[in-house]
């Protein structure tokens, strides 16, 4: 099989280039898109994610605020900050890095964000808009990035059978809604940890999305020859040959699966780079929508 390796890095760069023009247009009209990123606690991975989001803003000329709050920040203090950001006219997007410390009620935090500024797409209003196919809503960045990859690589979803492994609110469920929408018209099956004969089900997929968090779960017997495979998984596996002592792999056993596919995303360098690019896109969209209302 002549397999296309779907390049998330260059596709994300293309998205960023389109955004540069959109941001310039907004600035010409007197509006600078603004994103507030809130981190509670010291989780090292979250710190890295937050820093890369702020850096992405700086590179595009998006105004950003980084709020790094101590782990003992109370729920009330956090909600007060979100209320302040909801009312801050320089801020069009608000993101609270997940997961917060255990004493914080994450659902209450999500609910407190103005849905018009909920660029993560987690607020129930935006979940409803996704289901209703109302394009004014915000869609979670990772599935949005997956759809952009399919679009940029000319993968038709019309009438195709898409199987998604994973049913989280962040990836699996929104991905299912995007693929079954009238814009994409795929026939969608969602699999999860209780699914029987996962390999057999996946082998019926024209498009297979793995969003599980289990390194190498998807192997050659899962693949219908010619399928398109999107690997969302980000897993650390020990690797003594690497200076850090680990390497990042996806949910798909790339070496055995890739030769069977018509197209596949690698990890790293596939879906991952798209997530932050789509966050930037959502922030620009929020700015456009908020400022258009005056
Ligand atoms: P969750 O843990 O929230 O969801 C995992 C899903 O996989 C669940 O629905 C679970 O089923 C299902 N699952 C677990 N084990 C199996 C199994 N053996 N067979 C079939 N299904 C199984 O994870 P997320 O959706 O948040 O993330 C998934 C992966 O994607 C992770 O590796 C994460 O790091 C990565 N990720 C990557 C992003 C990116 O930017 N590229 C962004 C977000 C996540 P059940 O519901 O029954 O428990």
């Amino acid at each position: 099989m002549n397999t296309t390796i779907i390049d998330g890095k260059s596709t994300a760069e293309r998205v960023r280039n389109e955004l540069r023009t959109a941001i310039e247009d907004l600035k010409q009209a007197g509006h600078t898109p603004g994103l507030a990123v809130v981190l509670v606690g010291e989780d090292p991975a979250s710190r890295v994610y937050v820093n890369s989001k702020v850096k992405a803003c700086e590179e595009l000329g998006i105004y950003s605020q980084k709020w790094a709050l101590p782990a003992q920040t109370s729920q009330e203090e956090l909600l007060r900050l979100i209320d302040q950001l909801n009312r801050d006219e320089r801020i069009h997007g608000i993101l609270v890095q997940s997961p917060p410390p255990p004493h914080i009620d994450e659902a209450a935090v999500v609910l407190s964000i103005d849905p018009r500024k909920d660029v993560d797409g987690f607020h129930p209003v935006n979940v409803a808009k996704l289901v209703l196919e109302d394009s004014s809503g915000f869609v979670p960045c990772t599935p949005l990035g997956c759809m952009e990859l399919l679009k940029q690589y000319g993968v038709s979803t019309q009438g195709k059978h898409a199987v998604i492994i994973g049913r989280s609110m962040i990836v699996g469920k929104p991905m299912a809604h995007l693929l079954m929408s009238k814009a994409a018209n795929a026939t969608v099956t969602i699999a999860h940890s209780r699914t029987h004969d996962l390999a057999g089900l996946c082998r019926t997929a024209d498009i297979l999305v793995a969003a599980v968090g289990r390194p190498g779960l998807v192997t050659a017997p899962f693949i219908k020859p010619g399928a398109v495979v999107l690997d969302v998984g980000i897993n650390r596996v020990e690797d003594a040959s690497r200076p850090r002592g680990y390497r990042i792999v996806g949910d798909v056993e790339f070496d055995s699966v890739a030769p069977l596919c018509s197209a596949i995303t690698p990890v790293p360098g596939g879906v991952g780079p798209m997530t932050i690019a789509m966050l930037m896109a959502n922030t620009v969209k929020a700015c456009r929508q908020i400022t258009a209302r005056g």
Side-chain angles (χ1 to χ4, degrees), residues 142 165-168 192-193 198 211-214 232-235 272 275:
T142 301
I165 321 175
R167 55 177 162 181
S168 72
H192 45 75
S193 66
L198 184 63
V212 184
R214 300 273 182 284
V232 180
I234 299 179
N235 309 295
T275 299

Side-chain angles (χ1 to χ4, degrees), residues 12 19 31 33 43 81 84 137 143 150 152 183 188 191-192 197 203 215 221 245 251 275 286 288:
L19 288 175
H31 308 299
D43 181 60
L81 171 61
Q84 175 191 320
L150 293 176
Q152 296 283 351
V188 176
H192 45 75
D197 187 17
R203 223 168 26 246
D251 292 339
T275 299
R288 206 183 275 129

Side-chain angles (χ1 to χ4, degrees), residues 38 42 47 60 69 77 83 103 114 126 149 154 162 166 196 229 245 254 283:
V38 181
E42 324 290 338
R47 201 183 276 258
L60 287 179
L69 308 179
E77 286 168 317
D83 180 51
H103 67 277
D114 182 337
N126 286 314
L149 286 174
H196 290 296
V229 174
F254 187 85
T283 303

Side-chain angles (χ1 to χ4, degrees), residues 14-33:
R14 198 186 299 182
V15 170
R16 279 194 294 272
N17 281 335
E18 285 168 14
L19 288 175
R20 281 190 182 96
T21 313
I23 291 164
E24 207 35 60
D25 289 349
L26 280 164
K27 284 185 175 175
Q28 293 281 328
H31 308 299
T32 300

